[in-house]
Amino acid sequence: MALSREQVAMRVAQELKDGYYVNLGIGIPTLVANYVPAGIEVMLQSENGLLGMGPYPTEAELDADMINAGKETVTAIKGAAIFSSAESFAMIRGGHVDLTVLGAFEVDQNGNIASWMIPGKLVKGMGGAMDLVAGALNIVVTMTHADKYGNSKLLTDCTLPLTGVGCVKKIVTDLAVLEVRDGAFHLLERAPGISVEEIQQKTAGKLIVNGIIPEMVFN
């Protein structure tokens, strides 16, 4: 079966390394805060001006003034800092974010990402995505492998307006983990119970499959 939103977040959390400064985008990426591996320290950044974001709050911890970029209530860990969005974007644009995790409408085999608008539909704005994909040292995209009509979101070339060019390194979908390099998607892992053949059918871009592809493991 395809992964749930929570399982995608759990797999993305395995990409976190001790000492990382990590920006979490709106949607599935914010769930990663609940699954930071034990034994490591990371500083999670919310672009509205919070560094040191913790898991979602319990009812007892709820503070309506403590929110992330998606206007969801969050917690702050020991050592957290709160500052203006201008300082937050100075951190992003200055290359001080080790990893950013964000969603996307499309990613293509050259690492281009389209995540901020669909022509003809209401556009709220690109948010901080363009700054993040330009300034972060590494980018992981979370997305469903195909849209609700079964059309692949992993393409030869993006069809929607681009957010960034040649910037995506790794993708975690509800079906697979893929690395983008040398003009192709390289299949690294598959969701438990999902076959390589299904992933191939739902990947429109060039897909490289080398050897036996292991299933994802959740600790």
Side-chain angles (χ1 to χ4, degrees):
M1 292 181 61
L3 300 182
S4 66
R5 289 164 54 89
E6 289 74 18
Q7 287 175 313
V8 172
M10 289 171 66
R11 177 56 187 85
V12 172
Q14 295 177 24
E15 300 296 312
L16 304 180
K17 306 296 182 186
D18 190 46
Y20 265 18
Y21 289 87
V22 183
N23 180 282
L24 300 179
I26 296 170
I28 292 175
T30 57
L31 298 175
V32 174
N34 290 336
Y35 303 109
V36 176
I40 70 169
E41 291 187 7
V42 296
M43 293 296 280
L44 302 178
Q45 187 218 24
S46 182
E47 66 191 51
N48 58 323
L50 171 60
L51 181 63
M53 185 166 53
Y56 284 106
T58 63
E59 188 172 347
E61 297 170 324
L62 192 65
D63 180 349
D65 292 324
M66 182 69 74
I67 60 172
N68 62 19
K71 298 180 175 59
E72 300 171 306
T73 51
V74 293
T75 59
I77 65 172
K78 183 179 180 180
I82 297 172
F83 38 82
S84 73
S85 60
E87 290 174 302
S88 180
F89 276 91
M91 178 181 177
I92 293 167
R93 293 168 182 165
H96 304 295
V97 175
D98 297 296
L99 172 67
T100 189
V101 184
L102 75 165
F105 298 132
E106 299 174 342
V107 174
D108 70 30
Q109 64 194 36
N110 294 305
N112 301 324
I113 177 174
S115 69
W116 73 280
M117 74 170 294
I118 298 175
K121 293 193 176 183
L122 180 65
V123 179
K124 295 181 179 180
M126 74 289 293
M130 290 186 176
D131 294 282
L132 285 162
V133 298
L137 302 177
N138 190 16
I139 296 167
V140 173
V141 169
T142 65
M143 61 195 299
T144 55
H145 212 94
D147 65 20
K148 61 183 179 182
Y149 303 108
N151 300 310
S152 179
K153 296 165 70 173
L154 300 170
L155 307 175
T156 303
D157 295 290
C158 288
T159 64
L160 297 173
L162 296 183
T163 308
V165 175
C167 55
V168 176
K169 303 291 194 301
K170 188 170 283 188
I171 307 161
V172 179
T173 77
D174 55 342
L175 303 182
V177 178
L178 308 104
E179 186 177 43
V180 182
R181 54 184 166 85
D182 303 324
F185 299 108
H186 294 254
L187 184 58
L188 303 181
E189 300 172 23
R190 54 193 173 88
I194 298 296
S195 68
V196 170
E197 289 73 24
E198 180 176 352
I199 296 166
Q200 288 173 322
Q201 290 170 2
K202 294 183 177 179
T203 305
K206 183 179 180 181
L207 180 67
I208 304 296
V209 180
N210 282 326
I212 298 173
I213 305 300
E215 291 188 347
M216 298 180 205
V217 176
F218 300 98
N219 298 324

